[in-house]
Amino acid sequence: MKEELKKYADTARCPIRNIISRFSTKWGLLLLTMLGECRYLRFGEMERALPDISPKVLSSTLKQLEADGLISRRAYPDVPPRVEYSITSEGDSLLPIIAELTQWAVARMEKRKSAHDSV
């Protein structure tokens, strides 16, 4: 094996695998972006904003983001219970990177649309 490829074989220390394990679904990045814009959201607000996500997937994604230290969860002793999610400083540090990826994607979408429209 080439020396420069060995870093990818170490599953515990490979940075690409680390990124993929955290953001392998479309929801993680999307929820971080939403919380970055709004600063805090309730579960129901996120559920209504994303009608194509199931409550189970939303809940598990939020738990993973919280476990990774990217968002925080705050429960209030109200009736009915009220829970708010907010982005942490660690999550905030990812927002410029997510914005760059988004700009790259938008540029490619526009390029493909222009190519398709000219046909």
Side-chain angles (χ1 to χ4, degrees), residues 2-53:
K2 289 184 177 182
E3 191 61 36
E4 55 272 358
L5 296 178
K6 288 183 180 178
K7 64 185 169 209
Y8 301 114
D10 185 350
T11 60
R13 295 190 304 184
C14 176
I16 298 300
R17 290 177 192 246
N18 185 321
I19 291 168
I20 291 170
S21 72
R22 284 182 166 75
F23 305 114
S24 61
T25 71
K26 61 184 171 183
W27 304 117
L29 292 175
L30 188 54
L31 290 169
L32 275 176
T33 302
M34 289 170 58
L35 285 166
E37 286 182 26
C38 297
R39 306 315 297 168
Y40 65 89
L41 289 167
R42 293 178 66 180
F43 186 92
E45 291 175 307
M46 290 182 270
E47 195 174 30
R48 284 188 296 280
L50 303 171
D52 52 336
I53 188 172

Side-chain angles (χ1 to χ4, degrees), residues 71-90:
I71 66 170
S72 63
R73 178 184 186 273
R74 183 171 180 197
Y76 295 89
D78 299 342
V79 177
R82 179 170 58 112
V83 177
E84 288 181 350
Y85 294 88
S86 59
I87 194 161
T88 64
S89 58
E90 189 78 13

